[in-house]
Amino acid sequence: MIDWTHFTPWTSLAGGVLIGAAAALFLLLNGRIAGISGILGGLMRPVRGDVAWRAAFLAGLLFAPALYALVTRIPAPTIEAGYPLLLLAGTLVGIGTRYGSGCTSGHGVCGLSRFSPRSLAATLAFMAAGFATVFALRHVFA
Amino acid sequence: MHAVGAFVAGLIFGIGLMVSGMTDPSKVIGFLDLAGRWDPSLAFVMVGAIVVGAIGYAVARNRTVSVLGGAMHLPAERRIDRRLVLGSLAFGTGWGLAGFCPGPAVVSLGAGQDKAVVFVIAMLAGMALYEIAEKHFHNGGK
């Protein structure tokens, strides 16, 4: 059953186009993959000359809400997870993205954009786990 | 100049995440909830991002240096191994639990949301655990 009340095909498509454009721009300008977990995780073993661009990309992400707020009001998100669940989820995301060498951006957007079978395998794995987890939370244990 | 390129790319990426709906965990979980009232919007994010990303990657394919100068840093790894799959499964589980993946979590941190602060701290701790584990067991990975 489709949730038509929350379905936002056009803004989601437009947001996706911006995400893809940012990934393409970053590749062309800097020769880098726009993978957020990799950019962040790479700061944990700093190499000379490799820190500034990572920090600058993250600063761009952090500054995005301020720029967005200049144009229109930031929609309030709904976060159902409580603090203990957020701690568990964050830890799993941190460990998992480093062992799996990427997340939704690095594998899902950049990897699939260059038709990488490795990224397709990773994307299928994390999507499957995401579907299974939400199924368990919403329909088994709820 | 590399830092400027990275900042602009990060900024556009972050705006794209906000416009797309990815920074709202309830929307992400609505997409992952196939058995409930399903919101397919995030599939449109992926389509928009991958189509535009693929054009960028096709344009960049034959470049040996980036526009700002310096090498093209594309992943050379092609193996689909246990680390990739298990890591991605762990990531997907955390993603499904909270509705946050790394990019939107960092952007939401920039918006000053308490729950994003907690999630990002746990995510950084997870990444640090990975670094510690890698340092202790030189298991021939990367």
Side-chain angles (χ1 to χ4, degrees), chain A:
Chain A
M1 184 173 48
I2 304 278
D3 182 359
W4 295 108
T5 51
H6 291 108
F7 186 45
T8 53
W10 299 112
T11 50
S12 287
L13 190 67
V17 165
L18 283 173
I19 293 167
L25 186 73
F26 196 42
L27 181 79
L28 285 165
L29 288 181
N30 290 52
R32 300 270 178 189
I33 297 283
I36 314 304
S37 58
I39 292 172
L40 194 53
L43 285 175
M44 293 198 176
R45 38 179 121 168
V47 177
R48 233 147 97 91
D50 194 51
V51 172
W53 70 268
R54 292 176 190 274
F57 190 97
L58 293 170
L61 287 181
L62 289 167
F63 192 69
L67 182 64
Y68 189 99
L70 289 179
V71 180
T72 179
R73 207 174 56 83
I74 296 176
T78 314
I79 308 171
E80 285 171 31
Y83 288 103
L85 197 57
L86 285 166
L87 285 173
L88 173 66
T91 308
L92 282 170
V93 169
I95 295 178
T97 52
R98 296 304 282 144
Y99 272 105
S101 310
C103 57
T104 351
S105 50
H107 283 311
V109 174
C110 298
L112 295 188
S113 289
R114 51 190 204 98
F115 308 110
S116 155
R118 179 172 149 86
S119 286
L120 178 62
T123 304
L124 291 175
F126 69 66
M127 296 284 290
F131 286 129
T133 302
V134 172
F135 183 80
L137 273 185
R138 287 255 172 114
H139 304 287
V140 180
F141 300 111

